[in-house]
Amino acid sequence: MTPTTGAIRTPDQRLRVFVSSTLKELALERKFARLAIERLHLAPVMFELGARPHPPRELYRSYLAQSDVFVGIYAERYGWVAPGETVSGLEDEYNLAPDLPKLIYIREPAPKREERLVELLNRVRDDDQAAFKTFSTPQELRKLLEADLATLLAERFDQSRPVPTDTTTTPVLLPDRTAALPAALTELIGRETELEAVDALLKRESVRLVSLIGSGGIGKTRLAVEVANRAGGAADPDLEITFVDLSSVQDAALVPNAIAEALGVLDTGDEPVLIKLKTALRHRRMLIVIDNFEQVLGAAPTLISLLSVAPGLKFLITSRSLLRVTGEHAVEVGPLALPDTARTLEAKMAMQSPSVALFVERARAVKPDFGVTPENVDAIAAICIALDGVPLALELAAARIRMLPPAAILSRLDRRLSLLSGGARDLPLRQQALRSTIEWSTQLLGADEKRLLARLGVFAGAFSLDAVESVAGDVSEPGTDTMTALSVLVDNSLVRELDRGDRPYYSMLATVREYALEQLEASGELDAARAAHARYFLRFAESLEDDLEGTRQHDVIALLNDDRDNLRATARYFLDSGDMVTVAQFTWCLLIYWWVGGLLGEVRAWMDEVLASSDPLPERTRAIALYFTRSITLWHEANDRVIPGLTESVALFHRIDDRVGEGFALIFLALALVADRHPDTDRAEQSLARSVQLLRNAGYRWGEAMALVTLGRLALMQNAVPDAIEHFEQSLTLTRKGHDDLGTTVALQHLGWAQFVNGKTVDSRQLFEESLATAAHIGHAEGVVYGLEGLTAIAAAGRQLKRAGRLLHAADELRKQTGLYGANRFSFHERYLAPILAGEDRDALEQVRRDSEALSVDEAVGYALHQD
């Protein structure tokens, strides 16, 4: 049979890689193969990605006809032979790809390999068009496939493609790192009184802290968002507004970290994050909205300490309890007004009641033709009264309108509330109504949906579909259709879908999550679910480790940022379980992310716990913990602790033959040796030379590039400028070859300084500009700062006072706002500014700096990249 062509298009028009294997047996291997293919920006052509209406044979034959590379993955099974056929689909796919370049991977060991598969593999081994290798794990398969595809493309396809001559980076300005207000998807109903009260308070100069107090589900968050939207924007364009969600924070000590994260202040570990926050906020006009404060009331003094140093700062807090601190102005948020049932209700009159209006609006979201009629108006009013006007309870009930008319909802609701009321008497009435409504909503779910809802309580913050499928699959009943069950929960307003581009992502309100966790604990499955959650995110971190360098770096960091709270929860789980080995491995594989994401301070605290363990630590675990705790603190802590710790880390990594670990520890040991009161540059240089060799032998390009940069820094400190330039150029070559934007930014910035010191100002300016543009493109604040400072030095050396003053102000402000003002910086712009500051142009430069206060970071980057 001849395969059809053109009838069924593949999912993508890029170079296509067809993956052939049995489906269930090699499901995990297929996932890792897909990751490898997508990492090279190729299109994976796989049966499970195809359109289901087509017959399987027609589908794979059409896909094969449109593919450019054939990848075969084989283990033990030969596959199913359809009636009337002589070979399985697996062999048929191989037979239909005679002219395609073939990459074949055979899993070993395979003690129960079927005879017909053995015969097929013998054919493969005799095929001079096929290259085959063996593998043992999905991770190994991924690395082999990625390397082989890259080589194949270079040999077979790249020769026919023109080489681009323009290698300049198109600048994409640094994104705003502050957390935006959640989008308001619905109209705010029935809160005019509260809006006016809060707005009036915030307009008073003496009022700095306003608390919206009310029970769960009462609508505090929605009200706070509306208040903030009205306070900023056209009403006050200069007011910065930031939103901080504390729903996943249980420890009051971590509230400064949550605020810092929302503001884009990086926790580099060189100084307490609260101090960084004070510096970042000192001169800004800002309204910070903090949601779900009731679980961290012990952090209330932290807010007061920030208000005391930042006169332009105000807080708008949502909480179930008063903060009870000086200066707090509380506004109670109660239930929505109920309909008046003392007289006969008409539809128009009923809609004037905020609770009825909200119920109808939410009902129309699931059934657009729903309306209030003489037949249903009494039932709708009774529902609102039964639910005490609590907005979330009304929303959950309204979600049922697609299947049940109001009278049926009321009937079921009345029965359920009467059954449940006795079990919640310790709660306020309105909280009883909400809790009972959540319970009632779940009683109308099927067993799979109930089970999944409970499992979702284990997530910290939002969660992806992949995470749900993995965590639920680890602890759910066999055969559970997770996607279908999740869709039901979304339809019933128990789970909310978030906008993350084309990545399915979800969240739960704090009240619903509390309920889910209670159900999970009552079922006795909480520990199993937490373990499944931690295992998934450990695997998730390990699967992304290699992608933290290279072409997917920016996308991978964005993925990890989406799951930041779940990553924290994973580390906490392993620490609380006493599994120090796994938490060390978990932190180690995300080493680049912790740095770029500004989380090193938290990582240091985790590793301090590891080192404080009463149980003996394996050598690798102790080596990792020493590396993190000492490398993060080397700039501001006594080196009689840092140097011995890093020396021990190096020795431990060496003892277990971990070249990458030893290489990284040697880099920071060298930095500590140079930063010591009595610098030992000879030992530092020896450490770096060994680090370069170790990382090169290990094939770890990113690490080698960073070691070369550090070696160049040492050479520049010793005034060996030609050596420094050579090291920086070698590093740049490595990062460009690996398409590593982050490493390229670092290498360019260092090479820019070396060329500037060498007197090549034009070359230096081009290097700083490319470094700045690349850093802004990937959203790397530290790289932006360094680029601005390099161009500041060039402007100062050329006596361009206006340009130097503007760029200097932008760099200084960005350092303050992001917490990057510590001692561990590599910039020499101050020495070029010194003659101006000591001369007659000092006042002119300072005036330019003051006049530049309105210049945003984005504007500064644009200004820096265009000569005036």
Side-chain angles (χ1 to χ4, degrees):
M1 294 178 63
T2 303
T4 55
T5 58
I8 307 168
R9 299 303 298 168
T10 53
D12 189 293
Q13 295 302 310
R14 294 170 291 173
L15 199 68
R16 306 176 185 95
V17 181
F18 184 92
V19 179
S20 174
S21 77
T22 50
L23 297 180
K24 292 184 178 179
E25 176 195 19
L26 293 167
L28 189 57
E29 283 80 359
R30 291 175 72 85
K31 286 185 179 181
F32 277 83
R34 182 179 176 187
L35 286 172
I37 295 165
E38 290 178 339
R39 189 182 183 211
L40 295 173
H41 295 279
L42 309 179
V45 181
M46 309 175 81
F47 177 82
E48 58 265 37
L49 302 180
R52 289 294 184 263
H54 302 287
R57 187 181 308 155
E58 183 181 351
L59 182 70
Y60 73 68
R61 291 187 176 191
S62 294
Y63 273 16
L64 263 170
Q66 301 171 63
S67 296
D68 303 288
V69 180
F70 178 91
V71 171
I73 307 171
Y74 307 104
E76 297 184 345
R77 302 285 178 262
Y78 174 72
W80 179 63
V81 180
E85 297 293 328
T86 59
V87 298
S88 69
L90 190 72
E91 184 164 0
D92 195 30
E93 290 170 353
Y94 183 82
N95 293 339
L96 291 170
D99 299 324
L100 295 181
K102 301 184 187 72
L103 300 174
I104 307 298
Y105 303 91
I106 304 169
R107 192 173 73 187
E108 297 289 359
K112 297 181 180 179
R113 184 168 289 146
E114 294 178 353
E115 184 176 347
R116 294 203 64 179
L117 180 58
V118 173
E119 294 173 2
L120 174 60
L121 294 181
N122 288 336
R123 283 182 54 205
V124 170
R125 292 185 175 94
D126 293 335
D127 186 350
D128 58 8
Q129 296 293 316
F132 66 89
K133 295 181 178 178
T134 61
F135 70 95
S136 58
T137 67
Q139 291 84 353
E140 183 184 3
L141 170 66
R142 178 187 176 186
K143 291 182 179 180
L144 288 173
L145 178 55
E146 191 174 316
D148 292 343
L149 278 173
T151 301
L152 180 67
L153 294 179
E155 292 174 349
R156 296 194 177 226
F157 297 102
D158 283 353
Q159 293 177 0
S160 64
R161 297 177 181 171
V163 178
T165 55
D166 182 10
T167 59
T168 58
T169 302
T170 301
V172 178
L173 298 186
L174 188 71
D176 184 4
R177 295 178 62 88
T178 57
L181 290 169
L185 303 178
T186 57
E187 180 186 357
L188 184 66
I189 295 173
R191 294 300 189 189
E192 290 76 12
T193 301
E194 293 92 337
L195 275 171
E196 291 177 6
V198 179
D199 186 54
L201 282 171
L202 288 175
K203 285 179 178 177
R204 288 166 50 186
E205 188 173 341
S206 60
V207 176
R208 309 280 305 285
L209 174 61
V210 177
S211 303
L212 301 181
I213 307 300
S215 59
I218 207 70
K220 301 184 297 297
T221 303
R222 180 67 183 84
L223 176 60
V225 169
E226 187 70 21
V227 169
N229 276 323
R230 294 190 182 191
D236 190 350
D238 296 328
L239 180 67
E240 296 181 77
I241 299 176
T242 295
F243 185 83
V244 182
D245 181 9
L246 296 181
S247 61
S248 62
V249 180
Q250 304 294 326
D251 184 351
L254 294 179
V255 169
N257 300 75
I259 299 174
E261 183 180 325
L263 286 171
V265 176
L266 304 178
D267 182 10
T268 52
D270 57 345
E271 194 173 52
V273 72
L274 184 58
I275 294 177
K276 290 179 178 288
L277 273 178
K278 290 179 178 179
T279 302
L281 291 169
R282 195 178 303 275
H283 301 297
R284 295 165 77 172
R285 284 189 67 243
M286 178 171 280
L287 173 64
I288 299 180
V289 181
I290 303 185
D291 199 23
N292 297 300
F293 204 84
E294 62 276 350
Q295 56 202 22
V296 288
L297 290 172
T302 297
L303 306 186
I304 301 303
S305 70
L306 291 174
L307 290 172
S308 68
V309 299
L313 174 64
K314 294 192 177 191
F315 284 112
L316 178 59
I317 309 296
T318 76
S319 175
R320 298 183 199 175
S321 305
L322 288 167
L323 275 62
R324 302 190 185 281
V325 291
T326 303
E328 179 183 19
H329 294 260
V331 175
E332 183 175 357
V333 182
L336 294 175
L338 299 172
D340 182 4
T341 57
R343 51 184 174 171
T344 303
L345 280 176
E346 296 179 358
K348 186 175 181 180
M349 182 189 307
M351 284 296 291
Q352 294 175 4
S353 162
S355 58
V356 172
L358 179 66
F359 178 88
V360 172
E361 184 205 53
R362 297 298 192 267
R364 284 174 177 164
V366 297
K367 191 177 181 182
D369 61 347
F370 179 78
V372 184
T373 67
E375 292 74 25
N376 66 21
V377 64
D378 289 333
I380 292 173
I383 290 171
C384 295
I385 293 170
L387 298 179
D388 197 31
V390 175
L392 179 55
L394 292 169
E395 180 177 344
L396 293 173
R400 288 290 173 182
I401 210 71
R402 182 189 289 132
M403 299 176 61
L404 301 172
I409 291 177
L410 178 62
S411 173
R412 286 169 164 75
L413 195 58
D414 277 344
R415 289 200 305 268
R416 199 64 210 159
L417 294 183
S418 63
L419 287 172
L420 295 171
S421 60
R425 287 178 180 165
D426 57 328
L427 296 174
L429 285 175
R430 66 188 60 152
Q431 194 69 5
Q432 288 183 39
L434 175 60
R435 297 273 305 176
S436 299
T437 309
I438 296 174
E439 176 73 14
W440 169 77
S441 297
T442 64
Q443 293 305 312
L444 298 175
L445 299 174
D448 287 348
E449 289 85 17
K450 289 181 185 177
R451 194 178 299 114
L452 179 60
L453 179 66
R455 302 295 185 279
L456 297 182
V458 81
F459 286 101
F463 42 86
S464 68
L465 177 58
D466 286 344
V468 173
E469 290 180 325
S470 180
V471 172
D474 273 4
V475 292
S476 292
E477 296 294 329
T480 298
D481 185 349
T482 303
M483 187 65 215
T484 300
L486 184 61
S487 298
V488 172
L489 297 180
V490 172
D491 289 344
N492 285 278
S493 297
L494 291 163
V495 172
R496 302 189 174 194
E497 193 165 4
L498 302 178
D499 182 12
R500 290 290 192 279
D502 57 357
R503 188 186 187 207
Y505 222 74
Y506 304 89
S507 70
M508 298 168 69
L509 291 177
T511 310
V512 179
R513 177 178 284 109
E514 289 171 11
Y515 174 83
L517 272 174
E518 289 173 7
Q519 301 309 301
L520 191 57
E521 188 168 15
S523 70
E525 296 179 352
L526 178 58
D527 290 342
R530 282 181 170 158
H533 175 276
R535 285 196 302 270
Y536 168 78
F537 282 101
L538 174 62
R539 293 193 302 266
F540 179 64
E542 290 174 337
S543 72
L544 295 177
E545 180 178 6
D546 293 342
D547 288 329
L548 281 168
E549 54 168 319
T551 56
R552 291 195 65 220
Q553 184 180 75
H554 187 239
D555 293 339
V556 167
I557 288 174
L559 284 178
L560 292 166
N561 280 336
D562 283 342
D563 277 313
R564 186 174 285 194
D565 288 330
N566 286 306
L567 297 176
R568 287 181 171 123
T570 298
R572 188 74 261 157
Y573 172 82
F574 289 127
L575 286 167
D576 291 345
S577 302
D579 190 350
M580 303 308 178
V581 173
T582 304
V583 76
Q585 168 60 22
F586 173 72
T587 54
W588 185 247
C589 68
L590 294 181
L591 187 151
I592 299 174
Y593 172 67
W594 307 129
W595 169 40
V596 178
L599 294 168
L600 287 174
E602 290 186 56
V603 175
R604 176 194 173 188
W606 299 339
M607 295 299 101
D608 279 336
E609 286 190 53
V610 171
L611 291 176
S613 172
S614 58
D615 297 325
L617 297 174
E619 291 179 327
R620 186 170 190 273
T621 300
R622 181 169 175 80
I624 291 171
L626 285 169
Y627 166 82
F628 274 117
T629 55
R630 304 312 194 260
S631 66
I632 292 169
T633 59
L634 72 87
W635 298 106
H636 61 94
E637 206 168 81
N639 273 8
D640 55 2
R641 179 175 180 268
V642 172
I643 291 178
L646 286 170
T647 301
E648 183 183 354
S649 180
V650 168
L652 290 169
F653 278 126
H654 178 75
R655 195 176 302 161
I656 60 175
D657 195 28
D658 185 334
R659 299 178 192 178
V660 171
E662 185 180 356
F664 266 111
L666 281 166
I667 292 173
F668 284 88
L669 175 59
L671 289 171
L673 290 167
V674 172
D676 194 20
R677 290 183 295 272
H678 306 288
D680 189 342
T681 54
D682 289 341
R683 185 182 168 194
E685 190 169 359
Q686 292 169 8
S687 296
L688 288 171
R690 176 162 174 75
S691 173
V692 170
Q693 195 61 48
L694 283 167
L695 294 167
R696 181 176 297 160
N697 291 342
Y700 192 36
R701 183 184 293 146
W702 189 85
E704 182 187 351
M706 294 304 101
L708 284 166
V709 160
T710 312
L711 195 56
R713 289 175 66 163
L714 183 58
L716 203 57
M717 290 172 59
Q718 296 174 308
N719 208 31
V721 179
D723 290 343
I725 291 174
E726 181 181 355
H727 294 316
F728 295 147
E729 287 179 339
Q730 289 174 347
S731 179
L732 183 60
T733 298
L734 284 173
T735 58
R736 288 201 193 281
K737 186 176 180 180
H739 305 286
D740 173 11
D741 286 340
L742 177 61
T744 296
T745 299
V746 175
L748 284 168
Q749 175 253 320
H750 283 81
L751 184 57
W753 279 118
Q755 294 290 19
F756 190 44
V757 171
N758 202 33
K760 296 186 177 181
T761 304
V762 175
D763 291 346
S764 177
R765 179 184 292 113
Q766 292 174 347
L767 290 163
F768 283 135
E769 286 176 350
E770 186 181 353
S771 171
L772 174 60
T774 306
H777 177 75
I778 63 175
H780 183 46
E782 189 173 12
V784 171
V785 169
Y786 278 132
L788 290 172
E789 288 173 345
L791 292 170
T792 298
I794 291 175
R799 310 295 291 187
Q800 296 175 284
L801 296 185
K802 178 181 177 183
R803 182 171 175 80
R806 279 191 167 189
L807 297 179
L808 177 62
H809 172 78
D812 285 349
E813 283 304 301
L814 187 53
R815 280 198 179 275
K816 292 174 184 176
Q817 291 178 19
T818 57
L820 293 170
Y821 49 81
N824 54 331
R825 62 172 71 180
F826 182 78
S827 188
F828 309 111
H829 64 292
E830 292 96 339
R831 72 174 62 171
Y832 297 97
L833 288 164
I836 299 176
L837 294 173
E840 60 185 17
D841 291 329
R842 173 189 177 91
D843 291 342
L845 180 67
E846 292 297 340
Q847 184 61 48
V848 171
R849 293 182 67 177
R850 287 192 293 272
D851 292 343
S852 300
E853 289 183 0
L855 192 69
S856 70
V857 174
D858 285 358
E859 291 167 338
V861 171
Y863 174 77
L865 295 175
H866 296 85
Q867 297 293 315
D868 56 351

PDB file of all heavy atoms in Angstrom, residues 556-572:
ATOM      1  N   VAL A 556      12.545  28.084  29.918  1.00  0.00           N
ATOM      2  CA  VAL A 556      12.595  27.184  31.068  1.00  0.00           C
ATOM      3  C   VAL A 556      12.527  27.971  32.375  1.00  0.00           C
ATOM      4  O   VAL A 556      11.845  27.568  33.323  1.00  0.00           O
ATOM      5  CB  VAL A 556      13.873  26.317  31.018  1.00  0.00           C
ATOM      6  CG1 VAL A 556      14.107  25.609  32.343  1.00  0.00           C
ATOM      7  CG2 VAL A 556      13.749  25.296  29.897  1.00  0.00           C
ATOM      8  N   ILE A 557      13.205  29.097  32.431  1.00  0.00           N
ATOM      9  CA  ILE A 557      13.141  29.928  33.640  1.00  0.00           C
ATOM     10  C   ILE A 557      11.716  30.418  33.859  1.00  0.00           C
ATOM     11  O   ILE A 557      11.224  30.468  35.000  1.00  0.00           O
ATOM     12  CB  ILE A 557      14.141  31.093  33.542  1.00  0.00           C
ATOM     13  CG1 ILE A 557      15.574  30.550  33.695  1.00  0.00           C
ATOM     14  CG2 ILE A 557      13.866  32.156  34.600  1.00  0.00           C
ATOM     15  CD1 ILE A 557      16.658  31.565  33.467  1.00  0.00           C
ATOM     16  N   ALA A 558      11.014  30.756  32.777  1.00  0.00           N
ATOM     17  CA  ALA A 558       9.613  31.166  32.905  1.00  0.00           C
ATOM     18  C   ALA A 558       8.756  30.017  33.436  1.00  0.00           C
ATOM     19  O   ALA A 558       7.876  30.225  34.286  1.00  0.00           O
ATOM     20  CB  ALA A 558       9.081  31.645  31.554  1.00  0.00           C
ATOM     21  N   LEU A 559       9.015  28.796  32.956  1.00  0.00           N
ATOM     22  CA  LEU A 559       8.287  27.632  33.459  1.00  0.00           C
ATOM     23  C   LEU A 559       8.518  27.452  34.952  1.00  0.00           C
ATOM     24  O   LEU A 559       7.584  27.221  35.725  1.00  0.00           O
ATOM     25  CB  LEU A 559       8.742  26.363  32.729  1.00  0.00           C
ATOM     26  CG  LEU A 559       8.250  26.127  31.307  1.00  0.00           C
ATOM     27  CD1 LEU A 559       8.859  24.844  30.765  1.00  0.00           C
ATOM     28  CD2 LEU A 559       6.742  26.042  31.259  1.00  0.00           C
ATOM     29  N   LEU A 560       9.771  27.548  35.364  1.00  0.00           N
ATOM     30  CA  LEU A 560      10.104  27.372  36.773  1.00  0.00           C
ATOM     31  C   LEU A 560       9.506  28.490  37.627  1.00  0.00           C
ATOM     32  O   LEU A 560       9.071  28.246  38.760  1.00  0.00           O
ATOM     33  CB  LEU A 560      11.623  27.305  36.943  1.00  0.00           C
ATOM     34  CG  LEU A 560      12.284  26.052  36.356  1.00  0.00           C
ATOM     35  CD1 LEU A 560      13.794  26.229  36.267  1.00  0.00           C
ATOM     36  CD2 LEU A 560      11.941  24.824  37.196  1.00  0.00           C
ATOM     37  N   ASN A 561       9.475  29.697  37.095  1.00  0.00           N
ATOM     38  CA  ASN A 561       8.856  30.802  37.839  1.00  0.00           C
ATOM     39  C   ASN A 561       7.375  30.535  38.095  1.00  0.00           C
ATOM     40  O   ASN A 561       6.845  30.852  39.163  1.00  0.00           O
ATOM     41  CB  ASN A 561       9.018  32.118  37.070  1.00  0.00           C
ATOM     42  CG  ASN A 561      10.394  32.725  37.259  1.00  0.00           C
ATOM     43  OD1 ASN A 561      11.073  32.451  38.246  1.00  0.00           O
ATOM     44  ND2 ASN A 561      10.818  33.532  36.314  1.00  0.00           N
ATOM     45  N   ASP A 562       6.698  29.952  37.105  1.00  0.00           N
ATOM     46  CA  ASP A 562       5.280  29.622  37.291  1.00  0.00           C
ATOM     47  C   ASP A 562       5.079  28.655  38.459  1.00  0.00           C
ATOM     48  O   ASP A 562       4.048  28.689  39.133  1.00  0.00           O
ATOM     49  CB  ASP A 562       4.711  28.990  36.020  1.00  0.00           C
ATOM     50  CG  ASP A 562       4.424  30.019  34.937  1.00  0.00           C
ATOM     51  OD1 ASP A 562       4.347  31.222  35.272  1.00  0.00           O
ATOM     52  OD2 ASP A 562       4.281  29.634  33.764  1.00  0.00           O
ATOM     53  N   ASP A 563       6.060  27.780  38.671  1.00  0.00           N
ATOM     54  CA  ASP A 563       5.943  26.762  39.717  1.00  0.00           C
ATOM     55  C   ASP A 563       6.821  27.060  40.929  1.00  0.00           C
ATOM     56  O   ASP A 563       7.163  26.156  41.685  1.00  0.00           O
ATOM     57  CB  ASP A 563       6.310  25.390  39.143  1.00  0.00           C
ATOM     58  CG  ASP A 563       5.138  24.748  38.424  1.00  0.00           C
ATOM     59  OD1 ASP A 563       4.037  24.752  38.996  1.00  0.00           O
ATOM     60  OD2 ASP A 563       5.315  24.263  37.300  1.00  0.00           O
ATOM     61  N   ARG A 564       7.162  28.315  41.114  1.00  0.00           N
ATOM     62  CA  ARG A 564       8.106  28.664  42.178  1.00  0.00           C
ATOM     63  C   ARG A 564       7.606  28.222  43.551  1.00  0.00           C
ATOM     64  O   ARG A 564       8.364  27.682  44.358  1.00  0.00           O
ATOM     65  CB  ARG A 564       8.363  30.177  42.159  1.00  0.00           C
ATOM     66  CG  ARG A 564       9.441  30.620  43.121  1.00  0.00           C
ATOM     67  CD  ARG A 564       9.747  32.100  42.962  1.00  0.00           C
ATOM     68  NE  ARG A 564      10.523  32.370  41.753  1.00  0.00           N
ATOM     69  CZ  ARG A 564      11.138  33.530  41.518  1.00  0.00           C
ATOM     70  NH1 ARG A 564      11.057  34.511  42.395  1.00  0.00           N
ATOM     71  NH2 ARG A 564      11.823  33.706  40.421  1.00  0.00           N
ATOM     72  N   ASP A 565       6.328  28.434  43.838  1.00  0.00           N
ATOM     73  CA  ASP A 565       5.796  28.032  45.145  1.00  0.00           C
ATOM     74  C   ASP A 565       5.827  26.519  45.312  1.00  0.00           C
ATOM     75  O   ASP A 565       6.085  26.005  46.408  1.00  0.00           O
ATOM     76  CB  ASP A 565       4.367  28.545  45.318  1.00  0.00           C
ATOM     77  CG  ASP A 565       4.322  30.047  45.536  1.00  0.00           C
ATOM     78  OD1 ASP A 565       5.287  30.592  46.102  1.00  0.00           O
ATOM     79  OD2 ASP A 565       3.327  30.677  45.135  1.00  0.00           O
ATOM     80  N   ASN A 566       5.555  25.790  44.246  1.00  0.00           N
ATOM     81  CA  ASN A 566       5.618  24.335  44.325  1.00  0.00           C
ATOM     82  C   ASN A 566       7.048  23.848  44.495  1.00  0.00           C
ATOM     83  O   ASN A 566       7.287  22.834  45.173  1.00  0.00           O
ATOM     84  CB  ASN A 566       5.004  23.718  43.059  1.00  0.00           C
ATOM     85  CG  ASN A 566       3.495  23.816  43.057  1.00  0.00           C
ATOM     86  OD1 ASN A 566       2.838  23.387  43.992  1.00  0.00           O
ATOM     87  ND2 ASN A 566       2.933  24.399  42.010  1.00  0.00           N
ATOM     88  N   LEU A 567       8.012  24.550  43.915  1.00  0.00           N
ATOM     89  CA  LEU A 567       9.417  24.191  44.123  1.00  0.00           C
ATOM     90  C   LEU A 567       9.808  24.394  45.585  1.00  0.00           C
ATOM     91  O   LEU A 567      10.511  23.573  46.179  1.00  0.00           O
ATOM     92  CB  LEU A 567      10.316  25.019  43.204  1.00  0.00           C
ATOM     93  CG  LEU A 567      10.121  24.816  41.702  1.00  0.00           C
ATOM     94  CD1 LEU A 567      11.006  25.783  40.923  1.00  0.00           C
ATOM     95  CD2 LEU A 567      10.427  23.374  41.287  1.00  0.00           C
ATOM     96  N   ARG A 568       9.352  25.490  46.150  1.00  0.00           N
ATOM     97  CA  ARG A 568       9.621  25.728  47.578  1.00  0.00           C
ATOM     98  C   ARG A 568       8.999  24.632  48.438  1.00  0.00           C
ATOM     99  O   ARG A 568       9.621  24.136  49.379  1.00  0.00           O
ATOM    100  CB  ARG A 568       9.037  27.079  47.984  1.00  0.00           C
ATOM    101  CG  ARG A 568       9.780  28.299  47.473  1.00  0.00           C
ATOM    102  CD  ARG A 568       9.090  29.550  47.977  1.00  0.00           C
ATOM    103  NE  ARG A 568       9.865  30.741  47.702  1.00  0.00           N
ATOM    104  CZ  ARG A 568       9.401  31.781  47.006  1.00  0.00           C
ATOM    105  NH1 ARG A 568       8.179  31.750  46.508  1.00  0.00           N
ATOM    106  NH2 ARG A 568      10.149  32.843  46.816  1.00  0.00           N
ATOM    107  N   ALA A 569       7.758  24.278  48.104  1.00  0.00           N
ATOM    108  CA  ALA A 569       7.076  23.238  48.882  1.00  0.00           C
ATOM    109  C   ALA A 569       7.792  21.902  48.759  1.00  0.00           C
ATOM    110  O   ALA A 569       7.840  21.118  49.715  1.00  0.00           O
ATOM    111  CB  ALA A 569       5.624  23.101  48.402  1.00  0.00           C
ATOM    112  N   THR A 570       8.372  21.642  47.604  1.00  0.00           N
ATOM    113  CA  THR A 570       9.124  20.401  47.401  1.00  0.00           C
ATOM    114  C   THR A 570      10.351  20.357  48.301  1.00  0.00           C
ATOM    115  O   THR A 570      10.618  19.353  48.978  1.00  0.00           O
ATOM    116  CB  THR A 570       9.543  20.278  45.921  1.00  0.00           C
ATOM    117  OG1 THR A 570       8.365  20.224  45.111  1.00  0.00           O
ATOM    118  CG2 THR A 570      10.385  19.043  45.688  1.00  0.00           C
ATOM    119  N   ALA A 571      11.100  21.446  48.315  1.00  0.00           N
ATOM    120  CA  ALA A 571      12.279  21.501  49.194  1.00  0.00           C
ATOM    121  C   ALA A 571      11.860  21.340  50.656  1.00  0.00           C
ATOM    122  O   ALA A 571      12.503  20.611  51.428  1.00  0.00           O
ATOM    123  CB  ALA A 571      13.017  22.821  48.998  1.00  0.00           C
ATOM    124  N   ARG A 572      10.753  22.005  51.028  1.00  0.00           N
ATOM    125  CA  ARG A 572      10.289  21.924  52.411  1.00  0.00           C
ATOM    126  C   ARG A 572       9.889  20.501  52.775  1.00  0.00           C
ATOM    127  O   ARG A 572      10.162  20.033  53.881  1.00  0.00           O
ATOM    128  CB  ARG A 572       9.096  22.867  52.568  1.00  0.00           C
ATOM    129  CG  ARG A 572       8.598  23.057  53.987  1.00  0.00           C
ATOM    130  CD  ARG A 572       9.557  23.925  54.775  1.00  0.00           C
ATOM    131  NE  ARG A 572      10.438  23.118  55.605  1.00  0.00           N
ATOM    132  CZ  ARG A 572      11.615  23.536  56.030  1.00  0.00           C
ATOM    133  NH1 ARG A 572      12.081  24.726  55.698  1.00  0.00           N
ATOM    134  NH2 ARG A 572      12.362  22.748  56.777  1.00  0.00           N
TER     135      ARG A 572
END
